[in-house]
């Protein structure tokens, strides 16, 4: 049978029963894991970023151990791949892709947008990243090094974007409100407009 | 062999998928290319065995940067690609 033509719901049920029968995972563990991703609140990554912008200790923790920094914000990371966070500066901009499949920091950001899994995004992110970014309206100055992060293995990568100018007196809630999922994979840059 | 931050490395120019079923986490575009280790990421079970439910030994994982100009024929910039690679794919250049 061709897996693409299979009844997905029946296949899921069969695999779930097999995993459970073989003692790999219980049905409750699977349900818990699915629920953690299904219910990842869209704003939780933005709150991590806003806190890192306003709290130097948290920023250091986020950059050295993303998983513990997520747990510090009550985001469940048990059973999730380790989270790595890469900082954008005035010298380097990070863009996250998974050329081999669709690895994405789901524990933090929920499910990826449809284009993240497209063959076009995955190929062009490594082959023509500045051209790709321009289509998202992101033009990097030539002196800024673009570092494309290909999520090939055990980590999930997230970007800590630069804090926009003119936000010095903003509250953490107001800062979090301007951070979009695209900013946290580097296709866009937070803006105050 | 173990590598350290700052080491120049070559990625093995190997194509196991041509020899039979394989699960490879080393992208095509870096095989046979030179890069530099920027971080040690810890050890993880070898996914090439894990994917086939075989016993999977832990392998050191490294973050390795590759200059774009070493990967593509029209390399204008100083941009780079950062890739997670397992130790058994790396060798001294």
């Amino acid at each position: 049978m061709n897996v693409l033509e299979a009844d997905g719901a029946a296949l899921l049920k069969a695999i779930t029963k097999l995993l459970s029968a073989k003692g790999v995972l219980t049905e409750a563990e699977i349900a818990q894991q699915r629920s953690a991703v299904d219910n990842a609140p869209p704003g939780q990554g933005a709150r991590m970023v806003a806190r890192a912008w306003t709290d130097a200790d948290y920023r250091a923790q986020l950059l050295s151990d993303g998983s513990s920094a997520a747990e510090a914000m009550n985001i469940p990371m048990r059973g999730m791949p380790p989270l790595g966070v890469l900082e954008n500066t005035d010298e380097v901009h990070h863009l996250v892709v998974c050329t081999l499949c669709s690895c994405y920091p789901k524990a933090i950001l929920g499910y990826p947008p449809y284009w993240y899994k497209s063959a076009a995004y995955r190929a062009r992110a490594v082959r023509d990243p500045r051209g790709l970014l321009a289509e998202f309206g992101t033009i990097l100055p030539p002196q800024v090094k673009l570092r494309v992060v290909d999520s090939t293995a055990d980590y999930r990568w997230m970007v800590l974007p630069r804090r926009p100018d003119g936000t010095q007196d903003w509250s953490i809630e107001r800062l979090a409100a301007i951070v979009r999922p695209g900013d946290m994979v580097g296709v866009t840059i937070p803006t105050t407009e | 062999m173990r590598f350290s931050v700052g080491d120049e490395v070559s990625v093995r120019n190997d194509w196991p998928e041509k020899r039979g079923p394989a699960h490879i986490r080393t992208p095509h575009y870096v095989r046979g290319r030179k890069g530099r280790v920027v971080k040690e990421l810890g050890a993880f079970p070898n996914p090439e065995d894990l994917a086939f439910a075989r016993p999977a030994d832990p392998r050191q994982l490294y973050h390795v940067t590759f200059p774009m100009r070493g990967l593509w024929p029209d390399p204008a910039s100083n941009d780079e690609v950062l890739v997670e690679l397992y130790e058994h794919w790396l060798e001294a250049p």
Side-chain angles (χ1 to χ4, degrees):
Chain A
M1 184 176 66
N2 182 337
V3 72
L4 294 175
E5 293 162 5
D7 175 347
L11 200 56
L12 175 65
K13 199 170 171 187
I15 290 173
T16 306
K17 285 207 176 307
L18 270 172
L19 288 170
S20 162
K22 287 176 179 277
V24 179
L25 288 166
T26 66
E27 296 202 27
E29 284 171 324
I30 295 169
Q32 186 190 358
Q33 212 66 10
R34 292 182 69 193
S35 146
V37 174
D38 283 346
N39 301 320
Q44 61 186 10
R47 285 194 293 280
M48 289 169 69
V49 168
R51 185 169 167 194
W53 282 345
T54 53
D55 173 345
D57 289 342
Y58 185 75
R59 178 196 196 90
Q61 182 185 5
L62 184 68
L63 295 173
S64 70
D65 181 351
S67 297
S68 82
E71 283 174 340
M73 303 285 282
N74 296 319
I75 300 170
M77 295 299 285
R78 184 172 163 269
M80 297 293 185
L83 176 71
V85 181
L86 297 159
E87 182 182 28
N88 283 350
T89 68
D90 54 5
E91 292 176 354
V92 62
H93 178 93
H94 294 89
L95 170 68
V96 179
V97 64
C98 173
T99 60
L100 299 176
C101 45
S102 57
C103 299
Y104 185 78
K106 290 195 190 79
I108 311 300
L109 301 182
Y111 288 103
Y114 69 94
W115 48 259
Y116 186 84
K117 300 195 260 186
S118 70
Y121 177 80
R122 288 157 51 205
R124 290 190 63 208
V126 288
R127 184 66 182 82
D128 176 27
R130 285 183 190 252
L132 175 76
L133 285 178
E135 290 183 23
F136 283 93
T138 303
I139 311 290
L140 295 179
Q143 72 274 16
V144 173
K145 176 185 285 202
L146 175 57
R147 184 182 263 175
V148 180
V149 185
D150 192 355
S151 298
T152 50
D154 294 88
Y155 277 73
R156 297 297 175 269
W157 298 101
M158 187 177 113
V159 175
L160 173 59
R162 293 176 70 198
R163 181 175 177 167
D165 293 337
T167 59
Q168 293 80 350
D169 55 354
W170 285 29
S171 69
I172 196 163
E173 292 77 19
R174 194 174 170 200
L175 287 168
I178 62 167
V179 181
R180 301 159 295 183
D183 302 338
M184 291 177 278
V185 289
V187 292
T188 49
I189 290 170
T191 165
T192 55
E193 286 158 20
Chain B
M1 74 179 271
R2 282 296 292 265
F3 299 94
S4 304
V5 171
D7 283 356
E8 298 285 332
V9 290
S10 282
V11 182
R12 280 173 35 221
N13 193 2
D14 189 21
W15 302 84
E17 56 270 64
K18 291 185 178 173
R19 299 192 289 271
H23 178 78
I24 307 296
R25 304 303 306 180
T26 302
H28 294 189
Y29 65 84
V30 297
R31 296 194 206 170
R33 308 293 185 168
K34 287 190 175 67
R36 186 171 53 84
V37 174
V38 295
K39 195 171 184 191
E40 296 187 43
L41 295 171
F44 295 88
N46 184 357
E48 295 164 24
D49 290 321
L50 212 52
F52 292 93
R54 299 189 290 248
D57 289 337
R59 296 289 167 96
Q60 285 298 318
L61 187 66
Y62 297 92
H63 234 178
V64 182
T65 55
F66 297 85
M68 288 278 185
R69 61 174 114 61
L71 300 179
W72 313 118
D74 50 0
S77 69
N78 290 319
D79 295 342
E80 55 190 36
V81 183
L82 185 59
V83 186
E84 290 154 87
L85 294 170
Y86 298 93
E87 188 166 81
H88 61 280
W89 275 91
L90 302 177
E91 50 198 18

